[in-house]
Amino acid sequence: MTKFLMIGASAAALMALPAIAQTAAAPAAEKSARWSAETRADVEKKVAERFAAADTNKDGVVTQAEIKAQAEARRAEGEKKMAEARTRMFTSMDADKNGQISRSEWDAHNDGMKAKWAERRETAQADGKDRREMRMKFKGGDKDGRKGHRMMHRGGFGEKWFETADADNDGRITLAEAKAKPLARFDAADANKDGTLSPEERRAAHEAKRAERRAERGAS
């Protein structure tokens, strides 16, 4: 009898294996779904568009002066957005409009924020979205200044980019130089060399880069 029970249990375990494997594979599939496929031509187009925006005098090269001027403009715009966000927040908290925030107004603001987050969580769960998607949706706005902060660091080529992209160190970046490193990264990530990065390949490259950064931080 015991022998038959053991055989039955083993058979049940074997039958459950596909379901277990499917459950284990689900998170990986969900992660890959967050990435979209990207072709080599897509990368070239993105770089060309950013290069054209950075080449303010349209002479076919990007200089360090152009990069610095645009970085300053982004910083100024970011600071402006953050100042506007702080003003909006203060105005919304100052219920009696006396130019000061009382403890009761502060507490009311915090209670309101908690209620909004609870509502977002419920909506996200009802829609089957995860916490990451909910956070990304929240960051899409600039009510708390996050958008302004991001504008200080994004939107164009950065000053550090210039140092790495200027292959011949002549103080000028050509379109070919601008494309070189992004395309090299693409080719390294394109495991099957079909000219297209699948969602899985993009995610793998992203995670490898994160691991590399963590290792660098640990070594320093």
Side-chain angles (χ1 to χ4, degrees), residues 79-149:
E79 288 167 2
K80 178 185 174 185
K81 289 284 185 182
M82 285 192 288
E84 290 172 351
R86 287 194 293 269
T87 299
R88 285 196 299 272
M89 182 174 284
F90 184 92
T91 301
S92 68
M93 292 171 68
D94 185 17
D96 58 11
K97 308 304 176 189
N98 68 346
Q100 298 179 2
I101 304 297
S102 66
R103 178 67 195 210
S104 61
E105 287 172 328
W106 177 265
D107 289 342
H109 169 76
N110 282 342
D111 290 343
M113 290 298 290
K114 287 177 183 177
K116 285 181 181 178
W117 268 107
E119 183 181 347
R120 285 191 180 99
R121 277 195 296 270
E122 289 175 6
T123 302
Q125 288 168 0
D127 293 343
K129 296 178 181 177
D130 62 13
R131 291 175 64 84
R132 180 179 179 275
E133 288 176 297
M134 187 177 72
R135 288 196 301 271
M136 292 302 289
K137 183 178 180 181
F138 179 73
K139 288 180 180 180
D142 63 341
K143 291 181 180 179
D144 61 349
R146 285 191 177 96
K147 186 176 179 181
H149 179 73

Side-chain angles (χ1 to χ4, degrees), residues 140-186:
D142 63 341
K143 291 181 180 179
D144 61 349
R146 285 191 177 96
K147 186 176 179 181
H149 179 73
R150 290 198 304 276
M151 287 188 68
M152 294 172 67
H153 303 282
R154 297 182 184 178
F157 292 127
E159 294 173 73
K160 272 199 166 184
W161 165 84
F162 194 95
E163 298 171 11
T164 60
D166 187 14
D168 57 8
N169 296 313
D170 66 347
R172 294 149 55 93
I173 306 292
T174 64
L175 179 57
E177 286 177 314
K179 287 181 179 180
K181 287 187 181 296
L183 289 178
R185 286 194 295 270
F186 181 96

